[in-house]
Amino acid sequence: MKPLTLLLLSTISTTLLANPSLIEQAKKAGLKPIPTDKKELSKLTDPKGVITPQRVELGKKLYFDPRVSKSGLISCNWCHNLGLGGVDGVPKAIGHKWSPNPHYLNSPTVYNAVFFKRQFWNGRSASLEDQAQGPIQAGVEMAMNHDLLAKRIKSIPAYVDEFKNSYGQNVKIDLKSIANAIATFERTLVTPSRYDDFLNGDKKALSTQEKRGLKTFIDKGCVTCHNDIALGGSLKPFELKAKYKFRDVGDFLKTNKMIKVPTLRNITETAPYFHNGQIWNLRDAIKEMENVQVGYKVSGEKKSHNLDIKIMPISLTKTDINDILAFFKSLKGRKPTIIYPQLPESSVNTPKPITDSK
Ligand code: HEC
Ligand code: HEC
């Protein structure tokens, strides 16, 4: 080979090394796409191999069925509306008897919740199966008690058949199996987006500005907390740099220092933002993050004891914010087609709704 070619080759390879592609940078920073391969995806959404079409269909019915609540009026979809990005669009959740969430908590989206390491704003639940039992019983949400729930569902013959078909003849229809079916349906609520297409190798899937936004998002340290498949979903410290300006709305921050980082997937559809839903505008939400949080970079081996943690105050120019906003639009996912189910009819034995209203 001629010396010039050699020189050129070595320049090219050092440039490559010095400038890893944006896709590589994103992956190195801990961002992961929703896999396109069905098998790879089901390893993540269904590690125990529990999803069957029958269970998903049953879970979908129960998800939409208001009879799962004491009043017979409130379904999961009431607060996690699948036609509205999986949320209710109000600052604090409103449940049984028009009760507000006592801690002034906003309803998080159920889309992609299967990828979260922790569920609930304080991360108190680790799985969807466990999580789904909470709202059914919560007095301010569906206010249902265990016995009444089992009686209601068992009194509806078509549900009993569907439970047997889905879980076997000896299935016990109770809070646990009902929550299990609902959670199985939730496992299917994943929304791949143009961002995933990009990370999966389609370089044209993002516009130039969206790519710049992704790079800014990485370089400014947002990925410290908004990472993995959900761009969130694990517990992280909040108010690292300053106090959140609406910290006194509700009492969540009186008892919690760590917050389950909300997913940024479909973020343009899930306003209002933050745990108490006080910020309506996405631009303002990004600015508040800039004020409140710091990013950090860890260098050195993870296993070693002398971790070198570099704290980085986040500072964003107007262009940075515009670029991040553009990038956020690319996180809007393709939703699964959900046909609103016809729910099986009640029988003469079905316990009546109790609305507790005057
Ligand atoms: C009255 C409104 C309301 C109803 C009804 C309701 N939820 Fe929720 N949901 C919330 C709120 C508020 C939170 C956050 C509560 C907390 O962190 O303490 C939440 C949290 C969740 C989460 C955790 C998501 C995350 O990001 O942490 C999932 C999953 C979920 N709900 C699913 C369901 C299912 C399934 C049902 C039906 C069985 C249901 N919800 C009924 C309001 C509601
Ligand atoms: C140290 C961890 C951390 C860093 C760094 C961080 N965030 Fe957050 N982010 C959080 C937590 C925790 C919340 C939830 C706060 C709350 O609900 O009160 C959040 C909330 C958000 C929200 C509102 C989401 C919603 O649905 O309510 C947006 C938007 C957001 N962050 C964007 C960013 C951007 C952009 C950056 C970088 C400039 C960033 N974050 C950096 C932890 C972090």
Side-chain angles (χ1 to χ4, degrees), residues 121 217 220-222 224-226 236-238 240 244 259-264 267 270 273-275 282 285-286 289 293-296 314 316 324 328:
W121 284 105
F217 188 77
K220 296 290 176 182
C222 310
T224 321
C225 303
H226 297 278
K236 294 285 176 189
F238 189 53
L240 285 168
Y244 165 50
I259 304 191
K260 198 245 19 233
V261 181
T263 178
L264 297 177
I267 188 75
T270 60
Y273 303 109
F274 288 76
H275 67 275
L282 192 48
I286 298 174
M289 273 285 124
Q293 293 293 62
V294 295
Y296 38 96
I314 299 172
L316 303 171
I324 292 178
F328 278 179

Side-chain angles (χ1 to χ4, degrees), residues 76 79-80 94 105 108 116 119-121 124 131 135 141 260:
C76 305
C79 291
H80 304 284
I94 306 279
L105 290 174
F116 301 170
Q119 308 289 337
F120 289 121
W121 284 105
R124 65 186 177 278
Q131 192 286 330
E141 295 189 339
K260 198 245 19 233

Side-chain angles (χ1 to χ4, degrees), residues 52-337:
T52 65
Q54 290 86 347
R55 289 178 187 176
V56 172
E57 194 52 35
L58 171 59
K60 177 168 95 175
K61 287 183 180 152
L62 292 164
Y63 185 93
F64 281 104
D65 198 331
R67 290 169 299 183
V68 169
S69 69
K70 185 179 183 188
S71 65
L73 292 170
I74 297 180
S75 66
C76 305
N77 197 59
W78 163 279
C79 291
H80 304 284
N81 192 316
L82 296 179
L84 284 173
V87 299
D88 48 16
V90 293
K92 56 176 185 291
I94 306 279
H96 188 67
K97 282 176 69 185
W98 216 250
S99 312
N101 180 286
H103 308 292
Y104 214 104
L105 290 174
N106 176 254
S107 309
T109 182
V110 287
Y111 279 118
N112 306 297
V114 61
F115 299 124
F116 301 170
K117 297 214 165 58
R118 311 295 312 178
Q119 308 289 337
F120 289 121
W121 284 105
N122 63 1
R124 65 186 177 278
S125 171
S127 75
L128 290 171
E129 284 71 13
D130 176 64
Q131 192 286 330
Q133 299 186 25
I136 298 178
Q137 301 175 90
V140 293
E141 295 189 339
M142 301 167 97
M144 194 51 146
N145 80 47
H146 194 198
D147 292 343
L148 184 59
L149 174 67
K151 261 195 203 145
R152 275 253 182 90
I153 301 303
K154 282 198 249 184
S155 73
I156 300 171
Y159 267 142
V160 177
D161 289 344
E162 282 198 46
F163 264 99
K164 288 185 176 162
N165 288 337
S166 307
Y167 291 95
Q169 290 300 313
N170 298 328
V171 61
K172 190 164 178 240
I173 300 176
D174 59 6
L175 176 67
K176 208 170 158 204
S177 56
I178 290 166
N180 191 288
I182 295 176
T184 306
F185 167 61
E186 289 178 288
R187 289 183 176 279
T188 66
L189 300 176
V190 305
T191 71
S193 63
R194 285 190 294 113
Y195 157 79
D196 299 285
D197 301 342
F198 178 72
L199 287 192
N200 284 320
D202 176 1
K203 291 185 185 140
K204 293 201 185 112
L206 296 187
S207 71
T208 311
Q209 190 185 18
E210 288 164 349
K211 283 181 197 160
R212 238 180 18 233
L214 169 56
K215 180 142 176 43
T216 308
F217 188 77
I218 298 168
D219 291 347
K220 296 290 176 182
C222 310
V223 281
T224 321
C225 303
H226 297 278
N227 52 29
D228 217 315
I229 297 189
L231 298 102
S234 56
L235 274 181
K236 294 285 176 189
F238 189 53
E239 302 186 313
L240 285 168
K241 186 161 90 186
K243 301 282 182 215
Y244 165 50
K245 69 173 159 186
F246 300 109
R247 71 183 325 274
D248 293 328
V249 177
D251 58 4
F252 182 80
L253 290 176
K254 291 210 173 90
T255 42
N256 297 284
K257 292 216 162 22
M258 305 279 277
I259 304 191
K260 198 245 19 233
V261 181
T263 178
L264 297 177
R265 290 184 175 274
N266 303 303
I267 188 75
T268 56
E269 295 171 85
T270 60
Y273 303 109
F274 288 76
H275 67 275
N276 51 11
Q278 290 304 291
I279 298 185
W280 284 91
N281 185 312
L282 192 48
R283 181 181 296 275
D284 296 340
I286 298 174
K287 283 190 183 157
E288 189 58 15
M289 273 285 124
E290 176 191 5
N291 295 336
V292 170
Q293 293 293 62
V294 295
Y296 38 96
K297 268 189 180 155
V298 181
S299 49
E301 278 299 307
K302 283 232 159 111
K303 278 176 205 143
S304 106
H305 290 289
N306 9 340
L307 277 185
D308 177 17
I309 298 179
K310 192 175 153 214
I311 307 282
M312 312 189 298
I314 299 172
S315 67
L316 303 171
T317 63
K318 208 170 165 205
T319 316
D320 290 339
I321 295 182
N322 287 338
D323 291 349
I324 292 178
L325 274 170
F327 163 59
F328 278 179
K329 290 194 185 130
S330 77
L331 296 170
K332 183 173 170 135
R334 299 179 283 274
K335 312 291 183 301
T337 303

